Amino acid sequence: MPDTILRPAADHLDPQVIAMNEAAARLGAAPADPLSLPLAEARAAAERYHGFLNGPTPLPADVTEVTADGPAGPLPLRLYRPAGRGAERLPVMVYFHGGGFVVNSVDTHDRLLRLLARHSGAVVCAVRYSLAPERRFPHQHGEAMAALRWVAATGATQGIDPERIAVGGDSAGANLALGLALAARAPGAPRVAFGLLFYGMYAHDFDTLSHRRFGDGRYGLTTARMRWYWRQYLGGAAPDDARAAPLQADLRGLPPLLLLAADLDCLRDDTLRLAERLAEAGVPHRLAVYDGLPHSFATATRLVDRAQGAVLQAAHTLRRHLNA
């Protein structure tokens, strides 16, 4: 799987992203900013904004709510099965939504999850992991492994093939997905065959070119917000713990990975650095950097054609790897 970089042409926001932001503002919907709102209000704002992005009509999928045994009690999972596939046993991707470990939910990512299931031909197992600061690192890693073990041990009852498992996530969720792929190298852990990672937060490092260029928030996400998210997630834990910051980990032995990044994103260089580390470790991977798109573009597929194209490319890559 060759390494492919789509180099940016200029710092120009895609016109459809601009139109999307203007339409959201007219409706009183705005991305959540927990630095300017009480946390409960910021979470509610995130749900409203993503409700606008998802639109009023869900894409076709067969959806089932199930529960795994988590590290501190029941762990809710939502299974998105491609519509019309009956009792056929399908591969699965265990997916973790983004939101800085603090905001968002499976519901905010509903359209994305339906798209991935529909075009990959896989069941998408979306994990309702605990949010910070109510639960902090490393609790979410225990939940991630619990979801993976449930898929491997029990998924067959839901038409899942436990021999074809991928992991995926966006932003904070990409951190969890990569951490899960790292943990799954341990003896006795379920095997992970592939990883799909959108614009992840992989290191507690704000002294990068992308933070310096885009951290002021001109395209959405800010460095100040990222610092705050990390504080909520880590609490008093060491920021260089490789489980929290997988850029610090030994990456050898990982499965093939697809990395997608937004060029106009203060987290862009987290993904570029991850690609460099993967190359050094000999891990098969592909990297795509999308010019003109900001952080979180994968949830904008209803309104931004290039965002939809990126997600469909990812879904088709996932299909190829899980059906090889």
Side-chain angles (χ1 to χ4, degrees), residues 56-77:
T57 305
L59 297 173
D62 296 328
V63 178
T64 306
E65 306 284 350
V66 297
T67 303
D69 292 328
L75 174 64
L77 310 172

Side-chain angles (χ1 to χ4, degrees), residues 110-230:
D110 183 74
R111 180 182 174 86
L112 170 61
L113 299 169
R114 290 170 181 268
L115 266 180
L116 289 171
R118 180 178 184 179
H119 291 277
S120 71
V123 176
V124 177
C125 174
V127 183
R128 295 181 183 269
Y129 63 88
S130 300
L131 298 180
E134 293 89 342
R135 291 280 191 179
R136 289 190 159 118
F137 169 83
H139 181 81
Q140 290 82 358
H141 285 261
E143 292 181 322
M145 181 55 74
L148 179 63
R149 292 193 182 281
W150 181 90
V151 162
T154 313
T157 64
Q158 299 290 334
I160 289 171
D161 182 352
E163 300 299 320
R164 293 184 289 166
I165 302 176
V167 296
D170 60 285
S171 196
N175 177 305
L176 289 175
L178 180 55
L180 182 56
L182 289 165
R185 298 175 301 179
R191 177 180 173 271
V192 171
F194 183 71
L196 172 59
L197 307 176
F198 291 96
Y199 39 76
M201 51 185 285
Y202 302 124
H204 186 270
D205 181 5
F206 314 103
D207 186 21
T208 65
L209 177 60
S210 58
H211 270 293
R212 292 192 294 272
R213 289 182 64 185
F214 308 124
D216 60 2
R218 71 187 70 181
Y219 299 118
L221 186 62
T222 69
T223 298
R225 200 181 306 165
M226 285 308 310
R227 290 182 185 273
W228 186 85
Y229 284 144
W230 275 107

Side-chain angles (χ1 to χ4, degrees), residues 236-280:
D240 59 352
D241 187 315
R243 294 172 300 166
L247 271 178
Q248 308 296 327
D250 179 352
L251 303 178
R252 289 175 296 179
L254 283 171
L257 300 174
L258 175 61
L259 316 180
L260 296 94
D263 186 50
L264 306 181
D265 179 6
C266 63
L267 289 186
R268 180 197 63 192
D269 289 2
D270 280 36
T271 296
L272 299 185
R273 292 162 63 199
L274 176 59
E276 293 174 355
R277 296 272 341 273
L278 291 170
E280 293 169 358

